[in-house]
């Protein structure tokens, strides 16, 4: 029963930082804006984070969007070779196992129930050098995304020391 509200992983440790940074589906669940509380443990290479969703605070009255990495964030890696089971977001959208730009998350919250459907209608990633093609998945196209939002996957690595702007319509 706990697995329904948990993020579970094998072969991890918190000793060297967040073990979920390169596991986009797991991290997407862990950053859900409706989480009220969490508890975590790791033992002998197994990790578990139990999640309690949105029962302790009211949902926003007006729609709001959150992103990861957040606005004006610096130091974001230019590429990512995610490792996730059963597959990565890049594999889910048909890009195979090659390195892509970093997985970008968008969450929508508002006066609806947690896990409501959010369909992304358009998304763009641009810089002074032009646009970077994107593919994405949301919880209308993937059963692996429970929170209301999407994972955007840039088709190529990003340029270092470059400011990017993301725009999403859903």
């Amino acid at each position: 029963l706990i697995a329904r509200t948990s993020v579970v992983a094998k072969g991890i440790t918190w000793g060297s930082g967040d073990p979920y940074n390169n596991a986009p589906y797991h991290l997407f669940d862990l950053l859900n804006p409706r989480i009220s509380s969490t508890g975590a443990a790791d033992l002998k290479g197994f990790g578990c984070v139990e999640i309690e969703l949105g029962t302790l605070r009211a949902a926003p009255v007006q729609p709001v969007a959150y992103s990861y990495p957040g606005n004006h964030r610096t130091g974001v890696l230019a590429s990512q070779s995610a490792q996730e089971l059963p597959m990565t977001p890049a594999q889910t959208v048909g890009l195979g196992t090659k390195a892509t730009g970093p997985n970008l998350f968008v969450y929508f919250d508002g006066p609806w129930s947690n896990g409501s459907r959010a369909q992304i209608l358009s998304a763009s990633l641009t810089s002074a050098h032009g646009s970077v093609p994107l593919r994405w998945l949301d919880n209308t196209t993937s059963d692996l995304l429970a929170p209301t939002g999407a994972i955007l996957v840039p088709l190529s690595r990003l340029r270092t020391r470059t400011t990017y702007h993301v725009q999403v319509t859903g």
Side-chain angles (χ1 to χ4, degrees), residues 4 20 43 52 66 69 85 87-88 118 134 138 152 162 164:
R4 290 184 186 169
Y20 299 104
L43 179 66
E52 176 68 34
Y66 303 97
L85 292 174
M87 63 180 53
T88 68
L134 291 171
D138 57 36
L152 312 175
T162 301
Y164 286 89

Side-chain angles (χ1 to χ4, degrees), residues 3-64:
R4 290 184 186 169
T5 60
S6 300
V7 175
V8 181
K10 179 182 176 185
I12 67 162
T13 178
W14 289 90
S16 60
D18 187 342
Y20 299 104
N21 275 339
N22 206 34
Y25 288 122
H26 286 77
L27 187 59
F28 190 78
D29 284 344
L30 291 172
L31 297 177
N32 183 344
R34 288 281 180 100
I35 291 176
S36 295
S37 63
T38 63
D42 63 25
L43 179 66
K44 297 181 182 180
F46 290 89
C48 177
V49 180
E50 195 277 329
I51 299 167
E52 176 68 34
L53 294 176
T55 58
L56 300 178
R57 64 177 188 265
V61 176
Q62 297 294 319
V64 61

Side-chain angles (χ1 to χ4, degrees), residues 114-132:
N114 189 50
S116 292
R117 297 294 184 192
Q119 183 177 20
I120 302 304
L121 302 175
S122 66
S124 64
L125 176 62
T126 58
S127 76
H129 302 285
S131 64
V132 177

